[in-house]
Amino acid sequence: MSAPNDTPAAWQGGTVWLTGLPSAGKTTIAVGLAERLRSGGHRVQVLDGDEVRAALSAELGFSKEDRDTNVRRIGYVAGLLAEHGVTVLVPVIAPYALSRAAVRDLHAARGVPYIEVHVATPVEICADRDVKSLYARQAAGEISGLTGADDPYEVPVDPELRVHTQHQTVAESVRRVSALLTARGLS
């Protein structure tokens, strides 16, 4: 879909959905990619899963249904921004294939480009990183329902890109996603 009249004709928004386990590196990649795109003159918005949940879905818990509702809300907001020429980077766990498919379908119905990136970091590496102490808290019995530990994560079957952060630097991961955006005409 073309951008609104107040933006350059070549400006096209789109959504880059980064999904993976907690501490996989989704937000780190999104922030690095946002910096790279902004330096190239692009309008960029990062919709961090934790931040958006606090703002739009604070009343939701972590049941399958609540996680689905949260993912669909984030997807809706991403689609709106992308329709207006913003490159939207969405680092969220989004553990269920059906929820991710619904977001993809919403974008397709609106003619908005959508790219799914699976940040495919093994759970052992994520647990070692444990940037929010979630794995430690789950192991200590303080929390339950942690995606990848005692709650399922449905690995994307056919993402546009799979990034293995345990084998590359953040800069290399950002370059790979950026190259995909360039190939798709989004950067």
Side-chain angles (χ1 to χ4, degrees):
M1 176 171 235
S2 61
N5 293 334
D6 63 338
T7 59
W11 206 276
Q12 179 173 10
T15 296
V16 180
W17 195 271
L18 296 108
T19 179
L21 295 174
S23 296
K26 302 175 298 295
T27 300
T28 302
I29 293 168
V31 168
L33 182 59
E35 290 171 5
R36 183 180 184 126
L37 292 171
R38 284 186 187 114
S39 71
H42 292 274
R43 293 171 44 192
V44 180
Q45 180 64 55
V46 176
L47 295 179
D48 179 81
D50 293 335
E51 293 174 9
V52 177
R53 178 181 262 280
L56 296 181
S57 300
E59 83 284 3
L60 298 178
F62 290 90
S63 68
K64 187 175 190 322
E65 296 76 21
D66 284 354
R67 289 176 194 230
D68 177 66
T69 298
N70 182 53
V71 165
R72 289 172 188 255
R73 286 177 184 175
I74 295 170
Y76 178 78
V77 172
L80 286 177
L81 289 167
E83 273 186 303
H84 293 281
V86 177
T87 301
V88 186
L89 309 177
V90 187
V92 296
I93 296 169
Y96 304 114
L98 192 59
S99 300
R100 294 189 306 264
V103 172
R104 181 184 291 274
D105 292 346
L106 173 69
H107 281 70
R110 297 166 101 171
V112 176
Y114 177 89
I115 294 172
E116 183 177 76
V117 175
H118 177 214
V119 182
T121 309
V123 68
E124 300 80 22
I125 302 294
C126 294
D128 284 345
R129 291 177 182 167
D130 206 9
V131 295
K132 298 175 188 169
S133 300
L134 296 173
Y135 293 94
R137 291 177 55 211
Q138 188 274 336
E142 296 173 16
I143 62 171
S144 63
L146 179 61
T147 302
D150 61 353
D151 209 53
Y153 177 78
E154 298 171 358
V155 174
V157 175
D158 195 21
E160 282 77 9
L161 179 63
R162 203 174 303 274
V163 177
H164 299 276
T165 64
Q166 73 277 17
H167 299 305
Q168 57 198 32
T169 66
V170 172
E172 290 168 331
S173 296
V174 168
R175 275 195 300 277
R176 288 196 61 214
V177 179
S178 181
L180 177 60
L181 293 181
T182 300
R184 297 288 174 99
L186 294 174
S187 69

